[in-house]
Amino acid sequence: MTKDFLSEAKIYSFWEKENFFSASPHSGKKSFSLLIPPPNLTGELHLGHAMQHSILDAIARFKRLQGFDVLLLPGVDHAGIQFEATLEKKLQKENLSKEKLGREKWLAKAWEFKEEIYKSVSSTWRFMGLSADWSREVFTLDPGGQKAVYQQFKTYYDAGLIYKGPYIVQWCPKDQTAIEDVEVEYEERIDKLYFIKYSVGQHPASGKSGKEFIKVATTRPETIFADVAVAVHPDDDRYKNLWGLHATLDRPGFLEPSRSPVSSGLPLIRDERVDPKFGSGALKITPGHDFLDYEVGRDHKLPIINVVNKQGRLTEVAGKYAGMKVSEARTAIVKELKEKGYLLDEVEYIHNVAVCERCKSVVEPIISEEWFVKVGSMAKDAIKVIKAGKIKFLPSNYSRILVDWLSNIHDWCISRSLWWGHRIPVWYPSTSLRTSGPSTSSGSNDRVVSLESPGKGWIQDEQVLDTWFSSGLWPLSTLGWPEEWRMENGHRPGASGPQGKWKIDENTFSKYFPWDFEISAPEIKYLWIARMIMISQFLVRQIPFKTMFFHGMLRDLQGRKFSKSLGNGIEPTYLIEKWGVDATRMTLYTYSIPGRDGRVSREILDERGKNFRNFATKIRNIARYVIELKVENGKLKVNRNEHKDDKWIKDELQITIERVTTHLNDIELHLAVDEIYDFIWHKFADVYVERSKERRSDAQPVLEYVLRKSLILLHPFMPFVTEEIYQKFEERERSIMVEKWPSFGKVKVKKPV
RNA sequence: GGGUUCAUAGCUCAGUUGGUAGAGCGUUCGCAUCACACGCGAAAGGCCCCGGGUUCGAAUCCUGGUGAACCCACCA
């Protein structure tokens, strides 16, 4: 760490001590609220976070200087799946596991681990100069958050929007949980496409089975035990002769007797969703393990058979293959098919395989009992407010992108088989089945929705809620909803009001909600942004935020996302340690163009970092020059006849103030940075300061004036250098943070004191 | 398959209502000038992807190509 670091830390603690970051709900000032997207508790903050936080902080500081009562609210997200995966790795090293510890002990470990990670996140925030109101800092699993999430669940439940039911879900055998479509990635892989002989069984016309057979193409021969039909396209002439005969089909004979309930006599069905051009045009229908098949099966009222369990192993349905892993079973079954002559053909086949976004293991479509929210009507309301232009999106085309997605929305699967999260607030009498799972179909009449146990003999649902269920509530829960909200609607909170860090203040909710500004990476526009809009609209009939800013993604030079597995990540601390916080922030602003991705490498970032580090030095030197004479001349004469240079620099300053202000209002920070940089270096320093040397004392008042305004203009972007210089330069003010943002009307040179 | 975005100096990119191109880094030349060598002064470098259209005039608007990237859906 360099010297600069220490002084930055000193400045930061000075600001904190002076309470400059706190919002003041009771002040008469107009409010401006910014909500920090809660980072996932999985480790260090990355470059994208650093950019997000720098943008938020610049706007917060700008608004504060403009005289607003600014609320910049920090918090972190528990990030269920990701957190558990990170913790699991850590526990493995200690030779521990979820199974060994059990739920209670594991949760204690988890909270310890949370604190550990949190410390690093929190220190990075302070390090970057984030002027957040730490007194209001929140965590999704805090008591207040629990209460808010419960209220959300209860509201949906009472409105009849929540149901539990069997559903085909993407199941991650490694993370042992259902994951959402949006959490699934597709990897291109080369696999084999197998053509298997299904013989025509009972031939109703002749009464006996003939030698006829049809070829069925599949990439997953191991699910053959869960077949319940074979489907062809209705117009496919190749199979016309079989329809009229009500033929049934048998799978390869050696597979019997398996314990499959449907072991032979598969019906031949016709369905338009079958692509006659693919493979042989005949598709085996396996509703338990394929999304398309699930739908086809449902529409044809076919049974569902599970042949793959949640551990990714075959069930007893598979007879002698039971217990084998999917991949092992596939090899073994193909071998036997080949030996017995049922494998008609196999070809290499490139296709997309669904993998878990986080752990990259192949996900299994599986039937599971899960909780859902019917979001259809909520989505419609969200579409309405978006279409009405109530929310300003940057870039603007995101409003249509979100509307498109909301228009085709499916019910939201909100249950996850994890421990880290908000446990589903549903209780069952201990006599009934309590776990969610494939075989469970507990009666719905005897369950109770409650945050606390309804009493002895009740057992809580084992699952937790999807992380996004609480993240989607973030704009509300951070401001004390539902207690605060009810208060303002005439209800006093009961004795069981929120505790912990959550502040309840009667003015908070109405003053800061809806949020003035929210920022996000585009990749979570559906997971998070769309849901916040739906949820706010449903629960409080208001939009969650007025301006929604989507920054671009920082990528590597090949355009790839930064990821741990690729090892192409660049930590913000790399830049900070090399060039300082202010320069790092400036570098990041040059990439903060709405919706536009940036390609970076260490070398490229270093170029800019170095440049802005030099810029910081430049300003220090300008200040040194200006201050030199200031000390000598306590009093300065105002020159009556304005020199042409003075007039020029003041005009240039006016233009710069106007442009920087406009660009900040439009959230075009890269342009604002450009303007201020160009003005300070190439106009003020290169021209005015140079020329002032010939008329030094005459120019002094203007030098001081321009420097003072420049520092204020630059402060939102480079908070530390500007404060450092300001402290040396001004004696009467406490901090640059309590200065006034310059206006760009007609400004006269202030009479120097 | 559906959608979005991008194509500007050697590199990474700006360019806000259409009016003969800008930054940073790099390159070349000169300078230890008393705020600053993390600097100062100067210079080279671009049919603004290609074709067509609108216009007095287009990097900027429309259309068609070509190339690149991303998002969504997903084929057994």
Side-chain angles (χ1 to χ4, degrees), chain A residues 228-455:
Chain A
V228 294
V230 171
V232 296
H233 193 275
D235 300 333
D236 197 333
D237 291 344
R238 287 173 289 183
Y239 304 104
K240 231 172 192 166
N241 58 328
L242 293 172
W243 307 337
L245 302 169
H246 301 286
T248 60
L249 295 161
D250 291 338
R251 289 174 303 205
F254 76 91
L255 295 171
E256 329 298 351
S258 78
R259 292 170 64 189
S260 171
V262 184
S263 55
S264 63
L266 307 181
L268 182 66
I269 59 171
R270 285 170 277 167
D271 196 284
E272 300 203 331
R273 283 165 285 196
V274 179
D275 178 4
K277 291 193 290 288
F278 188 92
S280 61
L283 168 66
K284 72 188 195 68
I285 299 297
T286 320
H289 302 286
D290 183 275
F291 285 88
L292 176 66
D293 294 9
Y294 176 80
E295 285 173 22
V296 171
R298 183 189 57 203
D299 297 346
H300 290 268
K301 301 200 165 21
L302 296 166
I304 296 170
I305 299 166
N306 285 306
V307 70
V308 179
N309 67 17
K310 288 186 170 181
Q311 282 72 44
R313 293 176 184 276
L314 300 207
T315 64
E316 71 277 7
V317 166
K320 64 182 175 188
Y321 297 103
M324 286 174 102
K325 276 191 179 169
V326 166
S327 51
E328 296 166 357
R330 184 178 303 173
T331 315
I333 290 167
V334 166
K335 189 167 169 253
E336 188 158 2
L337 285 169
K338 204 181 273 177
E339 285 166 5
K340 307 244 163 104
Y342 288 99
L343 188 67
L344 299 171
D345 202 1
E346 59 182 291
V347 291
E348 293 242 305
Y349 176 61
I350 301 165
H351 66 149
N352 291 325
V353 175
V355 295
C356 175
E357 182 186 67
R358 298 190 177 81
C359 70
K360 308 289 175 197
S361 47
V362 175
V363 297
E364 287 289 334
I366 209 168
I367 305 292
S368 181
E369 183 117 333
E370 303 289 341
W371 290 93
F372 291 88
V373 183
K374 293 180 200 165
V375 285
S377 65
M378 293 167 72
K380 274 185 197 147
D381 284 348
I383 291 168
K384 247 184 247 165
V385 294
I386 295 171
K387 280 191 171 167
K390 296 249 169 79
I391 300 167
K392 184 181 178 187
F393 288 96
L394 296 170
S396 58
N397 62 333
Y398 274 78
S399 85
R400 200 175 54 71
I401 294 171
L402 286 176
V403 166
D404 285 351
W405 185 77
L406 286 163
S407 307
N408 300 305
I409 200 165
H410 299 294
D411 284 358
W412 178 10
C413 175
I414 52 166
S415 45
R416 296 293 129 102
S417 300
L418 301 170
W419 289 348
W420 186 242
H422 296 99
R423 199 154 165 181
I424 289 175
V426 174
W427 301 77
Y428 309 95
S430 52
T431 46
S432 78
L433 290 166
R434 59 194 166 103
T435 47
S436 306
S439 55
T440 309
S441 54
S442 51
S444 59
N445 297 328
D446 52 359
R447 63 188 181 211
V448 168
V449 175
S450 166
L451 187 55
E452 305 294 334
S453 171

Side-chain angles (χ1 to χ4, degrees), chain A residues 622 626 645-646 649-653 679-680 683-685 688-689 699-713 729 749:
Chain A
I622 296 170
V626 176
D645 288 354
D646 297 349
I649 195 65
K650 282 193 278 182
D651 285 349
E652 287 292 345
L653 176 65
F679 173 77
I680 292 177
K683 293 191 171 117
F684 188 38
Y688 189 80
V689 171
Q700 185 65 16
V702 181
L703 284 169
E704 290 183 18
Y705 172 78
V706 176
L707 176 62
R708 181 183 296 114
K709 298 292 176 192
S710 298
L711 288 176
I712 300 169
L713 283 183
F729 179 64
V749 185

Side-chain angles (χ1 to χ4, degrees), chain A residues 26 185 225 284 478 662 713:
Chain A
H26 297 283
E185 281 177 1
F225 304 100
K284 72 188 195 68
T478 47
T662 307
L713 283 183

Side-chain angles (χ1 to χ4, degrees), chain A residues 67-80:
Chain A
F68 286 86
D69 167 32
V70 170
L71 170 62
L72 177 60
L73 194 144
V76 285
D77 195 287
H78 63 281

